[in-house]
Structure formats: C-alpha cells, structure tokens
C-alpha cells in the first residue's frame, strides 16, 4: 500500500498522548515558523521550559546565590543526577553514568583508563573512518608513547585485529556518523573479551534514538554526546559509562578535585573516589547542566521500548516513502534498510549532496551533508512526526524533479 499523507497523519497519535498533563509534542519548543528540523543527529530540539529555567538559574543561582549555590543548590550533584535520569536509555545501571566534559575529553579519559587496566598490553584497535575527533584523540595518545593504534577498515576485520591477543582496548562507534550503520554489541563484546580486550563504545549517534543495552551486552566503557538526540543544548556535556566491574581497576587518567573521594577536604594528595565520580575532573558547567536538566526531566519517563518503536516507525516510513517517491532519481539509501542495523539518522548517497542540503534548507528543511556524497536526515523520536517525514520526502522529490537543486546559488558548505 502506498504511504500517503493521510496515513502519516494517522501514525502521529503518539505525539498527542499526554505526559505530565501536556501532549508530548508540546514538551519541546516549536522552531522557526515553517521550518522542519531533520538535524537531531547534530542538535536535538529545545525542551520548552529551557529558557525559563535558564533565566531562573541566572536570576536566583548566579545573581542572588553566587557561591552559596554550590552548597544550597544542586550544582555539584548534576553530573550524577543527569546521568541517573538517562542511564536507562543506554541500558546502564544508574550509578555508573556521569555527565561532564566533552565526548573527545571523555574518550581520552576512558581510553587511557583502559590502557592503564590492561598494561602491559598497549594496542588500541580503532575504526579508520571513525568520527575524526575520536581518531585524533587516539593518535594523540599514540604520539605520547602510551599506545600503538591498529586500524580496521571494516568490522569484519576485527577478529583478525584481535587474534594476536595483544589488544588492550577496542574503541568502536556504535553507529557510523556517515551512513548510520549500527554495530551489534551483543556479537562484538564477547569477541573482544574472548581475546582479552576491553570495549569502549561511542554512542553519540544512537543514544536517545534507539535501544542500547550496555549492561546486558557486557560492554566495558562508553561515551556519548549530550547535544544530539539527548537534547542537552548546543555544546552540552557528554555522557560517560564505566561498567561496575571496572570501577576500581585502575587510576583515572585525569585526576581532579571533583574525582577526589572528599573534594572539600582540600587534601594535599589525591585520593580517588571509589565510585564513578573518579572520572569527574573540574568544576561542573552549571549553566550547561541546567540546560541539559530540562531534557533529562523528559527522558526520565521515556521507556526505551517506546522510543525504539517510534524511531523504527519514523525511519521505516521515511525509507518506504523514499523508495516510492524518489526511485527514478540518482539517489541511493546508503543506510541499512533493517532498523536493528541502523542508528539515529538515515543517510542518502548522491553526487552533489552538499548542494542538495543547501537547496533543502532554502525550502525550509534543515538537514546535513557529509563529504563526499552523503545527505543525512536525523529524525527525533520524541519530536519528529510522520507528517514531517512526508514533507521532507515531497520537498526532496520536488527539488529532484525540477532539478532546482543544481542551481549555482546552492553553494556546497558540507555543514
Ligand atoms: C560520533 C561522534 N563522536 C564524537 C564527537 C565529538 O564530540 P565533542 O565535540 O563533544 O568532543 C562527535 C561530534 O559530533 C561525534 O559525532
């Protein structure tokens, strides 16, 4: 049966269901009039109460409370409480998730921690086409002499890379940021462990979009961006997870006062916290955490089953519509067609993808392109409607049909 606008409308009832007395769709602020946002893989939508909560923080927290905020408000607890509110989205125990720093920095901390645990093993296996910052972090550790990197071009090469039994850590992107291919943790973790290595997952393109089972799949460590599907706000701090079996296995890579077992003892010597706090370093970013807390208040009550089911429905609808409406054009769905093998976004391959992204933006659909030929549509399970999906596909089809996207005014920017 051809999927048409009417059918898409019927699929959207969930967004009208009430959460805390308000329809789900109204928990997020509307964007600019007439603009559709398909960029949740970059920056998720803004919770509706964020401006008010930030204003309140400015007024009460900063202007009035000043230093008393550290003791009388929740500022020091936010790295824990934010982690607790979203741990279920990663299939993690609430006690082993913290929110702080950036993903690149957390990756450094956990790669180094893994190397410390596994010494004298010193090999890190990493994908060659991982998000560049992840490779840069690993290359920096290599330059400092602490590791040697072993690259894999494809996950099928992992077994061979592990075979010499000399690997300390395997750092993998759960989802490829380009084509959205999702790896199978359930199969990969046992392979990593059987060869004496630890797994470190980057969940940036899956958490808040699809089901993740860190504990069930016996994952060792993980990091993820807070500003994408999790809606923490631009530049929101990142998530980190260390399985409880590893929490006291070594010394943290960056020791700071927030990771000390008694921060305000002002000890001359570092004594590491025995829990996940040891991976905290310096003063928390209270403003950014306050913004993030508006989203975690929503996430707290989201079941991962509902999230996953809705994401599947949205992305399968998108794929079906693309197959129906855009089949005759030179455009290929480069993401896996099966939901369990796909992350948060759906990627298309076409020559001139960056120009098409600009053309789509000119028609009111915000999406992104990645070099050389990838167009990414990042749907948000709590915010995107099936009707939005229909509009995206019809806009794309019109641009392809009229060839308007080839107009020189759509200068490629790749952002
Ligand atoms: C998969 C992935 N990992 C890491 C990063 C880098 O995160 P950060 O800038 O917070 O260090 C990004 C940024 O978009 C990303 O997409």
């Amino acid at each position: 049966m051809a999927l048409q606008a009417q059918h898409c409308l019927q699929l959207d009832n969930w967004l009208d269901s009430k959460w805390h007395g308000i329809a789900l769709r109204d928990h997020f602020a509307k964007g600019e009039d007439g603009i559709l946002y398909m960029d949740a893989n970059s920056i998720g939508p803004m919770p509706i109460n964020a401006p008010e909560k930030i204003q309140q923080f400015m007024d009460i927290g900063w202007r009035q409370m000043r230093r008393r905020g550290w003791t009388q408000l929740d500022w020091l607890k936010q790295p824990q409480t934010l982690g607790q509110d979203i741990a279920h989205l990663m299939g993690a125990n609430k006690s082993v998730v913290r929110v702080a720093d950036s993903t690149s920095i957390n990756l450094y901390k956990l790669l180094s921690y893994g190397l410390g645990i596994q010494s004298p093993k010193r090999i890190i296996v990493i994908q060659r086409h991982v998000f560049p910052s992840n490779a840069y972090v690993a290359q920096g550790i290599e330059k400092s002499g602490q590791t040697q990197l072993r690259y894999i071009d494809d996950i099928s090469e992992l077994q061979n890379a592990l075979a010499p039994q000399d690997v300390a850590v395997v750092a993998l992107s759960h989802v490829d940021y380009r084509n959205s291919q999702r790896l199978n943790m359930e199969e990969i973790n046992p392979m990593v462990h059987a060869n004496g290595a630890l797994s470190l997952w980057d969940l940036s393109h899956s958490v808040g979009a699809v089901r993740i089972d860190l504990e069930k799949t016996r994952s060792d460590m993980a990091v993820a961006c807070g500003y994408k599907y999790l809606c923490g706000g631009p530049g929101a701090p990142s998530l980190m997870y260390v399985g409880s079996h590893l929490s006291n296995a070594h010394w943290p890579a960056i020791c700071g006062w927030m990771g000390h077992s008694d921060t305000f003892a002002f000890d001359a010597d570092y004594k590491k916290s025995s829990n996940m706090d040891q991976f905290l370093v310096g003063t928390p970013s209270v403003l950014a955490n306050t913004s993030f807390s508006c989203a975690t208040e929503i996430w707290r009550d989201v079941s991962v089953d509902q999230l996953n089911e809705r994401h599947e429905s949205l992305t399968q609808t998108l794929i079906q519509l693309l197959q129906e409406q855009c089949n005759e054009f030179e455009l290929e769905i480069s993401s896996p067609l099966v939901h369990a093998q796909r992350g948060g976004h759906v990627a298309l391959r076409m020559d001139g993808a960056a120009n098409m992204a600009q053309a789509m933006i000119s028609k009111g659909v915000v999406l992104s392109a990645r070099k050389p030929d990838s167009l990414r549509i990042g749907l948000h399970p709590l915010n995107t409607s099936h009707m939005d999906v229909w509009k995206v596909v019809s806009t794309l089809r019109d641009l392809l049909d009229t060839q308007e996207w080839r107009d020189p005014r759509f200068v490629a920017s790749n952002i």
Side-chain angles (χ1 to χ4, degrees):
M1 185 190 73
L3 260 174
Q4 298 299 343
Q6 192 56 35
H7 187 205
C8 287
L9 262 179
Q10 284 161 10
L11 289 169
D12 280 332
N13 293 344
W14 195 63
L15 288 179
D16 293 320
S17 58
K18 296 266 194 253
W19 278 19
H20 303 284
I22 305 172
L24 180 54
R25 66 170 89 235
D26 296 330
H27 280 272
F28 292 94
K30 291 188 176 51
E32 202 180 331
D33 261 356
I35 303 285
L36 273 183
Y37 295 86
M38 293 291 148
D39 59 347
N41 52 321
S42 279
I43 294 190
M46 182 177 84
I48 191 121
N49 63 342
E52 188 188 330
K53 209 164 169 190
I54 299 237
Q55 182 61 48
Q56 216 174 48
F57 163 78
M58 291 294 185
D59 200 38
I60 298 172
W62 190 357
R63 187 176 69 83
Q64 295 179 31
M65 300 292 285
R66 297 272 286 266
R67 71 173 300 281
R68 292 172 298 166
W70 293 114
T71 47
Q72 293 177 33
L73 299 176
D74 64 347
W75 296 354
L76 284 170
K77 283 273 161 247
Q78 282 172 328
Q80 288 95 320
T81 52
L82 298 180
Q84 282 165 6
D85 284 347
I86 44 183
H88 65 291
L89 300 177
M90 306 159 78
N93 191 301
K94 283 184 187 304
S95 62
V96 288
V97 179
R98 293 291 182 275
V99 169
D101 304 319
S102 67
T103 303
S104 306
I105 288 175
N106 287 335
L107 189 74
Y108 174 84
K109 291 188 227 170
L110 299 192
L111 275 177
S112 305
Y113 188 67
L115 285 171
I117 297 171
Q118 295 278 72
S119 176
K121 286 185 187 172
R122 51 192 297 278
I123 305 285
I124 292 175
V125 169
I126 187 164
Q127 296 145 297
R128 193 175 300 280
H129 301 293
V130 78
F131 186 79
S133 194
N134 295 22
Y136 304 158
V137 167
Q139 287 161 10
I141 300 176
E142 185 177 44
K143 283 273 181 252
S144 74
Q146 297 170 70
T147 187
Q148 194 186 332
L149 302 182
R150 185 172 295 157
Y151 289 97
I152 53 172
D153 283 310
D154 186 84
I155 199 64
S156 58
E157 297 169 13
L158 181 59
Q159 182 63 71
N160 277 348
L162 287 164
Q165 308 274 314
D166 56 356
V167 175
V169 184
V170 177
L172 295 171
S173 282
H174 187 210
V175 171
D176 187 314
Y177 77 102
R178 300 160 308 163
N179 65 8
S180 200
Q181 187 188 3
R182 186 181 351 159
L183 299 183
N184 186 337
M185 288 180 166
E186 209 169 340
E187 275 175 22
I188 293 171
N189 282 324
M191 190 197 298
V192 169
H193 295 154
N195 289 281
L198 298 173
S199 58
L200 200 178
W201 293 94
D202 182 337
L203 309 175
S204 298
H205 289 278
S206 50
V207 66
V210 299
R211 179 182 292 109
I212 303 170
D213 284 314
L214 285 177
E215 307 272 356
K216 218 164 98 190
T217 60
R218 301 172 58 82
S219 302
D220 297 304
M221 298 176 279
V223 295
C225 296
Y227 42 78
K228 300 182 189 290
Y229 300 94
L230 290 177
C231 308
S238 145
L239 275 68
M240 53 187 157
Y241 158 91
V242 177
S244 49
H245 60 293
L246 294 179
S247 62
N248 278 307
H250 198 68
W251 203 247
I254 310 178
C255 300
W257 65 322
M258 293 296 145
H260 191 283
S261 59
D262 186 358
T263 295
F264 294 100
F266 293 102
D267 251 353
D269 294 317
Y270 182 77
K271 292 192 190 73
K272 87 183 177 80
S273 161
S274 59
N275 63 33
M276 190 67 199
D277 288 344
Q278 68 188 277
F279 298 104
L280 302 176
V281 181
T283 306
S285 302
V286 186
L287 186 49
N289 285 341
T290 302
S291 159
F292 206 157
S293 72
C294 303
T296 65
E297 281 166 14
I298 300 173
W299 288 120
R300 217 184 273 160
D301 298 321
V302 173
S303 102
V304 117
D305 285 340
Q306 272 180 319
L307 182 82
N308 194 64
E309 194 184 317
R310 186 164 156 81
H311 185 269
E312 179 166 7
S313 171
L314 284 167
T315 51
Q316 291 306 133
T317 301
L318 173 62
I319 288 171
Q320 195 179 336
L321 285 171
L322 285 166
Q323 287 168 337
E324 278 176 22
Q325 304 290 322
C326 301
N327 217 13
E328 72 210 73
F329 302 104
E330 300 219 337
L331 180 91
E332 184 194 335
I333 299 169
S334 47
S335 296
L337 299 181
V338 177
H339 186 249
Q341 295 167 9
R342 214 170 46 234
H345 61 282
V346 172
L348 310 177
R349 189 180 302 126
M350 67 174 285
D351 288 339
N355 298 52
M356 175 57 94
Q358 291 304 314
M360 290 289 280
I361 289 171
S362 79
K363 300 288 175 192
V365 179
V366 178
L367 39 67
S368 59
R370 280 291 174 266
K371 280 180 184 168
D373 54 6
S374 173
L375 200 61
R376 304 184 307 169
I377 305 176
L379 307 95
H380 197 287
L382 302 189
N383 193 244
T384 306
S385 69
H386 291 77
M387 202 54 199
D388 295 339
V389 171
W390 166 258
K391 288 179 196 156
V392 171
V393 176
S394 52
T395 307
L396 185 66
R397 196 202 141 86
D398 283 350
L399 284 168
L400 289 163
D401 219 6
T402 57
Q403 300 274 314
E404 194 186 336
W405 69 276
R406 293 185 190 275
D407 192 298
R409 74 183 188 278
F410 300 125
V411 180
S413 81
N414 272 310
I415 292 176

